[in-house]
Amino acid sequence: MRLKLLSPGEMSADQKETYDESIAGKRGAPPAPMMAWLNSPEMARHATRLGGVLRFDTIFPAKLSEIAILVTARHRTSHYEWYAHKRLALKGGMDPKIIDDIRDRRTPVFDDPKGKMIYDVAKSLHEGHGVSKALYDDAVKVLTVRGVVEIIGLCGYYTMVSMTLNTFEFELPAGEVSDLA
C-alpha cells in the first residue's frame, strides 16, 4: 500500500464529514477507494455520492450492473475491485460461469438479452473507446437511453475506482489471493 489511510481520529473536519456521510449511506462502510480520495475531501464527497447512485440506484439489479463493473475490473486488472465485486455479483445472483468467462477474457453466454447488451457495451467502451452506431441503436432498444447512460456511468466510475486501487496498491484482505493474472 503506497498510502497511509487515515483513521477517523486523524481526519480533518472536511475528511471526517465525508467519511461520516459514506458510512451513514446504504453501504454502511466507506468504499475502499474513498479512503484514498479523502486526500481531496470535496472530490471524495462527490465521487462517493456518484458511486452510491451507480451501485444502488440504477435501473439495473446487481446481477446486471455487476457485469459492467467486472468487465471494467478485468480490463484494468484491478485485483481489489475484482475481489470485491465478484462477491457482490455472486450475491446478486450472477451465474459463476459468466464471472469465470469475464475473468478469463472469454465472451460469456447470457440467458438475458440485457446482460449480453451490458457486456457488449462495456467491452466496446473499454476496448473500442466508444460504441458503434449499430451497437448504440441496439443498446437503446434493449436497455433504454437511461440504461445506456448508466452503463457508461458504471464503466467510467469504476475505471476511476480501478485506477485509484491500482495506483495506491490496495491489498486484498489477509489470506485472499487474486483471481486475476
Side-chain angles (χ1 to χ4, degrees):
M1 180 79 184
R2 292 180 167 167
L3 185 66
K4 180 189 180 308
L5 302 182
L6 302 174
S7 69
E10 298 172 302
M11 295 176 188
S12 70
D14 282 348
Q15 291 169 326
K16 182 76 166 77
E17 183 181 332
T18 298
Y19 176 86
D20 288 346
E21 181 181 316
S22 77
I23 63 174
K26 292 180 182 177
R27 286 185 182 102
M34 188 207 69
M35 297 304 293
W37 298 336
L38 282 173
N39 287 284
S40 176
E42 194 64 17
M43 180 194 142
R45 181 174 293 113
H46 291 290
T48 303
R49 287 175 183 167
L50 176 61
V53 168
L54 292 168
R55 173 98 184 279
F56 299 109
D57 298 321
T58 69
I59 61 172
F60 303 112
K63 178 179 175 177
L64 294 177
S65 63
E66 291 293 338
I67 294 166
I69 298 168
L70 289 176
V71 168
T72 302
R74 174 68 270 192
H75 180 75
R76 293 277 171 191
T77 311
S78 181
H79 301 282
Y80 190 98
E81 184 175 348
W82 182 269
Y83 164 81
H85 285 277
K86 173 184 175 183
R87 280 144 191 75
L88 293 169
L90 289 168
K91 184 178 175 185
M94 189 183 295
D95 180 345
K97 175 76 171 111
I98 291 171
I99 295 168
D100 291 346
D101 286 343
I102 293 170
R103 179 197 63 215
D104 296 338
R105 300 183 193 274
R106 294 185 304 257
T107 302
V109 175
F110 293 93
D111 293 334
D112 182 348
K114 287 183 179 181
K116 171 143 181 38
M117 187 58 64
I118 290 168
Y119 176 83
D120 290 347
V121 169
K123 287 287 283 184
S124 184
L125 287 168
H126 289 300
E127 294 177 6
H129 308 288
V131 176
S132 70
K133 176 160 178 23
L135 179 56
Y136 173 81
D137 291 344
D138 289 345
V140 168
K141 286 177 193 164
V142 174
L143 305 173
T144 74
V145 172
R146 176 180 172 177
V148 172
V149 168
E150 290 177 350
I151 296 306
I152 294 166
L154 283 161
C155 290
Y157 174 78
Y158 282 97
T159 292
M160 182 173 73
V161 167
S162 293
M163 290 176 167
T164 301
L165 297 171
N166 288 352
T167 298
F168 294 110
E169 297 179 347
F170 276 68
E171 296 176 0
L172 298 180
E176 295 293 337
V177 177
S178 179
D179 289 344
L180 303 181

